Amino acid sequence: MEYIWQYYFLIILIFLQGLFFSLFRKNGMRSFSILCFLELFFIAGFRAWHIGTDTPNYIQAFILSINYPELMKTHMETGYLLFNRFLILFTTNPQILLISTSCFFMFVWLRTLYKYSTSFLFSTVLFVILEFSTTLTMIRQEIAICIVLLSLPFIIKRQFLPFIITCCLAACFHTSAVLAISLYFIYPLPIKLRYFYLIVFVSIISFFFLAPIIDQIIELTGHYGGYKERISSSEGIKTAIVYKTLFQFTITCFCVTSYYLFYSQLQTIKSSLKVSFLLWCSVLAFCAQFISIKGAGLDRVVLYFSSFNLVSIPLFVRCYPKQFRLLITITLVAVFILYRTIIFIYRPEWNAVLPFEFCF
């Protein structure tokens, strides 16, 4: 694909800017975060309406929301529909949807990485490589994910009621956010082999028995039925889920191996999030992704756990001896870029963001 240079250019631009601002110890990363926000927000917010696999559907829903009763026939959650109605109070131009959501996404993601990552530059580069194109596609779920990310202080401070309320709010935009409640319970969970074996055992059982039950629930409720049909009828989507499973398995193996090899070193690293929590998120992301091979729609649940990969990977890289960190970082970044490059070239329909175009 001749437009793949756009993807590489953005990665290189963010990386070089990060290196430049890292020279300024005082407020260097803060300035870098502001610049990244402005650049990524501009790119995402002022993109053309066909950039992003699901963007045309959201644009159409926004246009339909001018006639609200007609919109209520769609499968989209009530909270998202009301959000559309709110935006229409200001303008009927659909671009406002992309501008407002992109502003929210970039702010929350960069704020989260700045606050919780041990290496903001590394996490930001990973975000551009792995997550940025997703924010251009799955608007409803990205809203839900960002709301959950904003609720992390409730998890850390063990404030259950506010966290539940926040998750319910997120579920108003994407129903899958209900399962993000599990983050509250795994945060204090210690790393013990019996818990690991239990999770693996439950995942294997779920792979064979839970997935068909979920399919029946989808058929009975009619919710995400279209998504299920797309998965059942499309070999491309099935292949995508398998690829995602292998990819998350690689990340989980790296995190788990690093944890057991350098456990004592990890205890000396200051992290705003518990190391055990980040490790469990990686493990659960793989397990959920594995189950999603047979369970239609379950790959959407993965995102509430895999989002923390952007924080956990820099943390586990940091536990290695200094002479190996650069090599490991370069290797991981190269693997991630290669993974995305293969998708962009051979499966462009999975994430239709190239060639990129602005709305003007």
Side-chain angles (χ1 to χ4, degrees), residues 4 7-8 336-346:
I4 195 69
Y7 174 64
Y8 297 149
F336 296 154
I337 293 177
L338 177 62
Y339 167 75
R340 278 294 184 178
T341 298
I342 292 174
I343 291 176
F344 283 138
I345 293 178
Y346 296 102

Side-chain angles (χ1 to χ4, degrees), residues 217-360:
I217 293 174
I218 291 175
E219 290 181 4
L220 289 173
T221 61
H223 205 56
Y224 298 121
Y227 183 70
K228 175 181 177 296
E229 291 175 3
R230 280 167 51 204
I231 293 179
S232 301
S233 62
S234 175
E235 286 298 325
I237 295 180
K238 293 178 182 178
T239 303
I241 295 175
V242 173
Y243 280 5
K244 289 179 181 179
T245 302
L246 294 174
F247 181 71
Q248 182 58 48
F249 176 71
T250 303
I251 294 176
T252 301
C253 285
F254 170 75
C255 293
V256 172
T257 302
S258 301
Y259 178 83
Y260 282 104
L261 286 178
F262 301 101
Y263 174 80
S264 58
Q265 179 64 23
L266 282 168
Q267 308 310 306
T268 64
I269 299 176
K270 293 183 179 180
S271 175
S272 300
L273 295 173
K274 286 186 176 182
V275 175
S276 58
F277 172 72
L278 295 174
L279 191 62
W280 282 127
C281 283
S282 181
V283 171
L284 290 172
F286 165 67
C287 291
Q289 191 70 70
F290 171 70
I291 298 171
S292 72
I293 294 175
K294 293 191 67 175
L298 272 180
D299 60 318
R300 296 302 184 101
V301 177
V302 176
L303 298 173
Y304 298 101
F305 303 105
S306 63
S307 296
F308 294 97
N309 287 338
L310 306 183
V311 176
S312 60
I313 291 174
L315 172 68
F316 287 112
V317 167
R318 190 173 176 182
C319 71
Y320 285 82
K322 290 184 177 180
Q323 60 268 31
F324 297 114
R325 290 178 194 170
L326 181 59
L327 176 61
I328 293 172
T329 300
I330 293 175
T331 302
L332 289 173
V333 169
V335 169
F336 296 154
I337 293 177
L338 177 62
Y339 167 75
R340 278 294 184 178
T341 298
I342 292 174
I343 291 176
F344 283 138
I345 293 178
Y346 296 102
R347 294 290 184 177
E349 70 277 7
W350 291 356
N351 220 327
V353 296
L354 295 177
F356 180 85
E357 294 180 19
F358 284 107
C359 62
F360 39 77

Side-chain angles (χ1 to χ4, degrees), residues 4-36:
I4 195 69
W5 68 266
Q6 296 177 336
Y7 174 64
Y8 297 149
F9 176 77
L10 182 60
I11 296 172
I12 294 172
L13 176 66
I14 296 297
F15 174 68
L16 292 179
Q17 289 175 167
L19 285 183
F20 174 76
F21 282 103
S22 65
L23 300 176
F24 305 92
R25 293 186 177 182
K26 187 177 180 180
N27 296 325
M29 284 297 99
R30 181 172 296 181
S31 300
F32 173 59
S33 66
I34 295 173
L35 180 59
C36 284

Side-chain angles (χ1 to χ4, degrees), residues 57-262:
N57 295 331
Y58 288 116
I59 293 297
Q60 182 64 23
F62 182 88
I63 295 173
L64 286 175
S65 64
I66 300 173
N67 183 5
Y68 190 66
E70 184 178 358
L71 180 62
M72 291 301 291
K73 299 176 184 178
T74 72
H75 67 282
M76 298 182 182
E77 288 80 355
T78 303
Y80 179 75
L81 301 180
L82 293 176
F83 172 64
N84 277 258
R85 291 293 295 174
F86 172 75
L87 293 179
I88 287 176
L89 296 176
F90 301 95
T91 178
T92 56
N93 187 334
Q95 198 68 41
I96 188 64
L97 173 66
L98 304 185
I99 292 174
S100 58
T101 53
S102 297
C103 180
F104 180 60
F105 297 159
M106 297 311 123
F107 170 78
V108 174
W109 273 107
L110 292 175
R111 176 184 179 275
T112 300
L113 299 180
Y114 184 84
K115 186 175 182 179
Y116 298 107
S117 177
T118 55
S119 175
F120 178 63
L121 172 56
F122 192 6
S123 291
T124 303
V125 171
L126 290 178
F127 171 75
V128 173
I129 295 172
L130 300 174
E131 188 66 27
F132 179 63
S133 60
T134 305
T135 66
L136 306 182
T137 296
M138 301 189 305
I139 293 179
R140 279 165 43 241
Q141 186 161 19
E142 279 292 331
I143 293 176
I145 291 172
C146 286
I147 292 175
V148 172
L149 291 177
L150 287 175
S151 69
L152 282 177
F154 298 141
I155 298 178
I156 298 172
K157 297 176 182 178
R158 314 308 296 154
Q159 297 173 336
F160 185 64
L161 183 58
F163 180 69
I164 285 290
I165 294 173
T166 306
C167 286
C168 290
L169 175 62
C172 291
F173 290 88
H174 203 278
T175 310
S176 63
V178 171
L179 296 177
I181 295 174
S182 59
L183 293 171
Y184 185 88
F185 299 100
I186 69 173
Y187 189 80
L189 192 67
I191 300 297
K192 293 185 178 181
L193 282 177
R194 65 174 180 269
Y195 295 149
F196 177 78
Y197 293 144
L198 178 62
I199 291 175
V200 172
F201 175 75
V202 171
S203 299
I204 294 174
I205 296 299
S206 300
F207 181 81
F208 293 103
F209 298 103
L210 179 61
I213 295 175
I214 292 176
D215 287 347
Q216 293 299 318
I217 293 174
I218 291 175
E219 290 181 4
L220 289 173
T221 61
H223 205 56
Y224 298 121
Y227 183 70
K228 175 181 177 296
E229 291 175 3
R230 280 167 51 204
I231 293 179
S232 301
S233 62
S234 175
E235 286 298 325
I237 295 180
K238 293 178 182 178
T239 303
I241 295 175
V242 173
Y243 280 5
K244 289 179 181 179
T245 302
L246 294 174
F247 181 71
Q248 182 58 48
F249 176 71
T250 303
I251 294 176
T252 301
C253 285
F254 170 75
C255 293
V256 172
T257 302
S258 301
Y259 178 83
Y260 282 104
L261 286 178
F262 301 101

